[in-house]
Amino acid sequence: MHKKIRLVTICLILAAFAAQAQHVYRFDIKEDIGPGAWRQVKNAYSKAEEAKVDLVLIEMNTFGGMVNFADSIRSRILDSPLETVVFINHNAASAGALISLASDRIYMSKGSSIGAASVVDQTGQLMPEKHQSYMRGLMRATAEAKGRDPKIAEAFVDGDVDLPDIKPAGKILTLTSAEAVEIGLAEAEASTVADVLAAEGLSSSRITTHQVTTIDRIIAFLINPAVSGILILLIIGGIYFEMQTPGIGFALIVAIVAAALFFAPLYIQGLADNWEIALFVIGIVLVLLELFIIPGFGVAGILGIICLVCGLAFSMVVNDYFDFSIAEPGMLFNSFLLVIASMVVATVLMVIFGKSLLNTRAFKRLVLQDEQRSAAGYTSSKMNLEMVDKEGVAKTVLRPSGKVEIEGKWYDAVALDGFIDIGETIYVEKHENYNLFVRKKRTS
């Protein structure tokens, strides 16, 4: 008798020890589904798998987001050897519904909802049938992978799916927590994470909460479209001011730092690829060649602008080289719109404020001027006060700034005509600060 009691006691102790030894890894998805959420899920599952936890618990409250990133998240969950439980604490709409279906079990707080997963554009309008068809298939496949009813998953996308006992005809399905439990989509209603763990028999388990690092926050901030637009503006503005003030100075540093901040987080996120960054660099090179070496404005300049715009726009959209079908509908158009709008704003600001900014003392202190020795034929236009009406030759293309030679010496000059080709005869109309203002000499 005593032996049996000891054996039962030992078994109870071992069972309690086993329960205490169980390990749960927890993280939240409480944001729009996008690059930031995808990065967090990747990092969380990598750490959970490395720690060999018993369960991954996701607390979710999202209205959806980008389909391509939602697909990446649901694939990561499906491919993981770990069991996953999703606790829907209020909302799992659209992309959130897809991710929830990829989990092994779903719990919902009272008053929560799941569904409404039709594909819409940025204005909320339904996308064409091909996009809906893809999403229906994705929902069905995910439900089937986890043993759920594929018709219910498809009804989240398509109002024509016939479910007479669940939803009215022609209406896209959205389920409340009680409805989801009743039809077996969700396991049970729960008020807190502790309730979910109790339902899973893991009340005494060790819980590790995923920590979002400072790097993650910085990347999430930098890939925000508004911040990307500002960085593009700084890239274009920095290049413009560097061309106006030759030499490796403050303006060029601003452009380089802005380009690094633009591309680096996109590259880390897997959006920007090497060929897209190379396309951007080629565009810059072609534009500089057109400005300083190739006379006129032709093929090189146009190709340079196209490469520059495409390099920036493509890097913000997931693609397989030029296959953008895997991206969220409308993302490519929005990407081009953001790049072009930022460039237009930069151009307008440069036209309005460019000249006054270049002449401020603060800007001149920031800019590192090239050393131009007199032995090389350079002189300061500010020191030559009797240059008006003198004639010379354009030594570079002036568009509108460049170099001219007068009486064997080189000067910085600005073409008042807007453009003067290399080798053309010019005359000085006025001088201000370190620039001569010249016009093309007309031949009679």
Side-chain angles (χ1 to χ4, degrees), residues 204-216:
S204 302
S205 61
R206 179 163 61 97
I207 301 174
T208 299
T209 301
H210 179 71
Q211 300 297 319
V212 180
T213 66
T214 302
I215 297 298
D216 292 330

Side-chain angles (χ1 to χ4, degrees), residues 231-368:
L231 291 174
I232 293 170
L233 190 151
L234 292 175
I235 293 169
I236 304 303
I239 293 171
Y240 169 81
F241 285 119
E242 181 61 27
M243 290 189 298
Q244 298 300 308
T245 56
I248 300 177
F250 177 73
L252 182 60
I253 293 173
V254 168
I256 292 173
V257 171
L261 292 176
F262 178 84
F263 282 109
L266 295 173
Y267 188 85
I268 293 172
Q269 287 296 114
L271 288 173
D273 207 346
N274 293 328
W275 70 272
E276 293 164 333
I277 299 173
L279 192 64
F280 170 79
V281 174
I282 290 170
I284 295 294
V285 171
L286 288 173
V287 169
L288 294 176
L289 287 175
E290 185 71 27
L291 287 173
F292 296 111
I293 297 178
I294 305 172
F297 191 85
V299 176
I302 295 171
L303 285 177
I305 292 174
I306 292 173
C307 290
L308 192 151
V309 171
C310 289
L312 292 169
F314 290 164
S315 64
M316 291 189 285
V317 183
V318 63
N319 62 82
D320 183 9
Y321 288 95
F322 290 99
D323 179 10
F324 295 93
S325 61
I326 57 177
E328 182 186 7
M331 278 298 295
L332 183 60
F333 173 79
N334 292 336
S335 178
F336 270 102
L337 188 62
L338 175 64
V339 173
I340 293 171
S342 300
M343 294 180 73
V344 169
V345 171
T347 302
V348 171
L349 292 177
M350 287 185 292
V351 170
I352 296 175
F353 301 109
K355 184 176 178 181
S356 58
L357 180 61
L358 287 171
N359 291 330
T360 60
R361 291 182 180 179
F363 186 85
K364 288 177 180 177
R365 283 198 299 268
L366 291 170
V367 175
L368 301 175

Side-chain angles (χ1 to χ4, degrees), residues 2 6 10 91 130 133 197 257 269 271-272 297 307 342 376 401 405 442:
H2 293 294
R6 284 199 298 271
I10 291 171
N91 300 290
K130 69 175 183 178
S133 175
L197 293 175
V257 171
Q269 287 296 114
L271 288 173
F297 191 85
C307 290
S342 300
S401 62
E405 182 181 3
R442 308 296 179 184

Side-chain angles (χ1 to χ4, degrees), residues 166-247:
I166 299 176
K167 73 175 185 68
K171 299 295 184 181
I172 293 171
L173 179 62
T174 298
L175 295 172
T176 66
S177 56
E179 291 168 340
V181 172
E182 183 180 353
I183 66 174
L185 184 72
E187 303 296 316
E189 290 183 325
S191 299
T192 63
V193 169
D195 292 339
V196 174
L197 293 175
E200 289 287 311
L202 297 170
S203 296
S204 302
S205 61
R206 179 163 61 97
I207 301 174
T208 299
T209 301
H210 179 71
Q211 300 297 319
V212 180
T213 66
T214 302
I215 297 298
D216 292 330
R217 293 190 179 94
I218 292 172
I219 291 175
F221 173 76
L222 290 175
I223 59 180
N224 184 290
V227 177
S228 296
I230 293 172
L231 291 174
I232 293 170
L233 190 151
L234 292 175
I235 293 169
I236 304 303
I239 293 171
Y240 169 81
F241 285 119
E242 181 61 27
M243 290 189 298
Q244 298 300 308
T245 56

